Amino acid sequence: MQREQKKFVDERPKSKALFERARKSLLAGVPMNWMVKWAGAFPPFVREAQGAHFFDVDGNRYIDFCLGDTGAMTGHSPFATVKAAEEQMRRGITLMLPGEDAIVVAEELQKRFNLPYWQFALTATDANRFSIRLARQITERRKILVFNWCYHGTVDETFITIQPDGSPGSRPGNIGAPVNPWVTTKVVEFNDVDALEAALHSKDVACVLAEPAMTNVGIVHPAPEYHKALREITRKHGTLLIMDETHTICAGPGGYTRAENLDPDVIVFGKAIGAGIPGAAYGFSQEVADRIVAKHELETCDVGGIGGTLAGNALSLAAMRATLTKVLTKEAFDRMIPLAERWTTGVAKAISDADLPWHVTRLGCRAEYMFGPEPRTGSEAHDAMDFELERFMHLYAMNRGILLTPFHNMALMSPQTENEDVDRHTKVFRDAVKELGG
Ligand SMILES: Cc1ncc(COP(=O)(O)O)c(C=O)c1O
């Protein structure tokens, strides 16, 4: 690790100088606090990115499997989105008035996700927050339910985990929590049908907010029939089901919902929807839409905690229209998913050749290795994490021109990722494992 730390610093004198300068004006030397988490002594400062690659200011080239933690799953600066955004920027960026792009995007989302009505926000966090508020309002219930070790953005209600003694409490690192999250939220393990039934039985839960497969504690797949049970139990108890497809859009053009024929009440989709230009969408079933409209109050609709000044702006919507119709298409997924298959096959072979108790898994064009057997719950996935080992693997990869997400060991394929990028990762992974004595 020391050798790799030194190599990282030695090969990035310009990033180092920028970081030293940045520490005098940016808190901890970074523009957003998560960026301190990169495995090197400082983050590489970026000169430019295009497609599946970027260069840092020292001229080092990287294959980007992080892709802005899904925001750039489209590849960096895809031509069609950039063209549409450039043209829109000359015609007005934000007006607080609609244009035709909003309808085209909503029509496209209807086709993809099979939900009739859509609204827009600037981030997936906001789309989740607004969906939760609406669910609370129409069900007249206070609580929500999430799965242990989920992540849905900076949504206060979701920062809850099951504590070692089995009680619910704040997840580690929950900054400035307004209340202990058990006041607002119930938490159960993913794939635990009995716990879900027990939690919803009291009929005080407005909504379940779920990723259809967990992606933020490593990938945790649903057990066979789990989604059937989740839908039946939520319906039985009058609890709405919100599917957060922000990451699981990697499963295909209509996300996991369409790939597996799910039937949620609400869907949230952010990050890559505008190729990284801020924007997110949330959609509702006819029944939910009718219930929302029945409670709508014209006089106070702008101060009720839903929406935002820049939400649904012309630039976001132009970017979403181009991204959905020209970039994140079925043809793109037909290219991306086999790349992820190639990635997992290569890593699986390296793991088995080294006889390690690790595993690698895949969800559409997203792949991930974990330092343990395949998890069935968030807890099992969390217990398999090893911060030191993770940092070593990430740093070793970065020093050889490969960027994984800074959180767990996740890789995304973009429409512009190539087989040779994947094979380069396989080689570097194999070499890292060898260095560890595997
Ligand atoms: C599943 C999921 N939902 C929502 C979000 C929040 O996205 P944003 O940070 O863009 O608001 C994230 C972020 O990682 C996410 O993984």
Side-chain angles (χ1 to χ4, degrees):
M1 189 68 178
Q2 279 165 4
R3 183 197 71 203
E4 292 297 318
Q5 280 290 4
K6 181 169 179 325
K7 179 173 162 66
F8 181 89
V9 173
D10 289 349
E11 289 172 1
R12 290 164 185 80
K14 289 187 181 160
S15 274
K16 182 167 185 272
L18 284 178
F19 184 63
E20 276 157 14
R21 184 173 144 211
R23 287 167 80 168
K24 297 183 188 132
S25 62
L26 297 170
L27 192 66
V30 289
M32 196 274 279
N33 53 307
W34 304 357
M35 293 184 197
V36 296
K37 205 165 178 184
W38 291 105
F42 43 81
F45 280 64
V46 177
R47 191 180 76 206
E48 64 177 286
Q50 186 56 244
H53 302 98
F54 71 93
F55 288 91
D56 69 18
V57 289
D58 290 287
N60 298 299
R61 180 179 186 265
Y62 301 77
I63 303 164
D64 192 354
F65 290 110
C66 167
L67 294 168
D69 192 19
T70 310
M73 193 179 98
T74 50
H76 294 288
S77 299
F79 176 78
T81 310
V82 170
K83 183 164 180 287
E86 273 176 1
E87 286 171 10
Q88 184 58 52
M89 278 198 281
R90 280 186 225 104
R91 296 196 308 260
I93 294 170
T94 190
L95 293 104
M96 190 71 82
L97 284 169
E100 193 190 355
D101 283 350
I103 306 172
V104 175
V105 174
E107 287 169 350
E108 176 66 24
L109 294 170
Q110 275 179 342
K111 275 188 249 152
R112 288 182 182 228
F113 293 106
N114 209 19
L115 286 181
Y117 293 104
W118 291 86
Q119 287 283 279
F120 298 99
L122 279 185
T123 63
T125 296
D126 274 353
N128 279 327
R129 288 199 303 109
F130 304 158
S131 300
I132 291 169
R133 272 186 175 261
L134 290 167
R136 283 206 179 105
Q137 190 189 36
I138 66 178
T139 60
E140 297 179 2
R141 297 176 179 182
R142 241 166 24 103
K143 295 230 176 193
I144 74 158
L145 182 140
V146 296
F147 294 107
N148 203 25
W149 295 111
C150 68
Y151 185 77
H152 295 281
T154 54
V155 179
D156 285 332
E157 289 93 331
T158 59
F159 289 100
I160 188 166
T161 49
I162 301 172
Q163 308 294 304
D165 68 359
S167 64
S170 255
R171 81 176 279 163
N174 185 4
I175 297 167
V179 292
N180 191 319
W182 60 256
V183 174
T184 56
T185 309
K186 297 187 183 185
V187 56
V188 299
E189 293 288 1
F190 194 61
N191 282 327
D192 185 342
V193 174
D194 294 341
L196 181 73
E197 168 65 39
L200 299 191
H201 185 74
S202 46
K203 298 199 188 322
D204 56 349
V205 177
C207 61
V208 170
L209 174 60
E211 282 193 283
M214 297 182 83
T215 68
N216 280 305
V217 59
I219 295 173
V220 184
H221 295 280
E225 303 293 305
Y226 181 66
H227 274 291
K228 190 161 168 277
L230 174 59
R231 187 60 280 199
E232 278 171 12
I233 294 169
T234 46
R235 277 226 168 92
K236 180 167 85 176
H237 296 300
T239 297
L240 298 179
L241 181 56
I242 305 173
M243 281 298 173
D244 181 352
E245 289 273 15
T246 300
H247 274 187
T248 48
I249 189 66
C250 59
Y256 197 96
T257 296
R258 210 49 199 273
E260 298 294 328
N261 231 347
L262 307 183
D263 183 23
D265 300 295
V266 180
I267 282 179
V268 167
F269 172 20
K271 294 200 185 187
I273 191 170
I277 290 181
Y282 52 122
F284 321 100
S285 66
Q286 180 74 50
E287 191 211 325
V288 169
D290 290 344
R291 290 168 74 187
I292 293 170
V293 170
K295 298 232 173 190
H296 208 78
E297 286 188 16
L298 187 59
E299 191 174 347
T300 51
C301 69
D302 55 334
V303 288
I306 305 285
T309 312
L310 300 180
N313 72 75
L315 176 62
S316 292
L317 285 159
M320 288 185 212
R321 177 178 180 165
T323 304
L324 291 174
T325 57
K326 297 188 178 145
V327 184
L328 275 187
T329 56
K330 179 177 177 308
E331 295 67 44
F333 281 97
D334 289 346
R335 233 187 86 64
M336 290 143 78
I337 292 173
L339 285 164
E341 283 165 359
R342 189 180 180 104
W343 199 95
T344 45
T345 304
V347 170
K349 174 108 186 18
I351 290 173
S352 78
D353 287 353
D355 208 15
L356 284 170
W358 300 2
H359 91 286
V360 60
T361 189
R362 184 181 65 79
L363 182 70
C365 66
R366 182 182 302 274
E368 168 117 31
Y369 59 84
M370 293 165 104
F371 308 125
E374 178 155 8
R376 287 157 305 162
T377 63
S379 286
E380 287 180 9
H382 188 261
D383 291 349
M385 284 180 163
D386 181 326
F387 190 57
E388 287 297 311
L389 184 53
E390 192 176 294
R391 288 179 84 72
F392 173 76
M393 296 299 287
H394 290 203
L395 188 59
Y396 193 91
M398 257 202 282
N399 278 339
R400 286 150 190 85
I402 288 173
L403 196 79
L404 298 164
T405 52
F407 332 107
H408 45 103
N409 309 305
M410 197 170 74
L412 263 179
M413 311 301 139
S414 81
Q416 288 159 76
T417 307
E418 298 286 349
N419 280 337
E420 67 197 43
D421 297 331
V422 171
D423 295 347
R424 171 79 187 145
H425 174 266
T426 305
K427 179 180 180 328
V428 168
F429 178 84
R430 188 175 275 279
D431 290 349
V433 163
K434 249 192 224 128
E435 293 243 27
L436 289 167

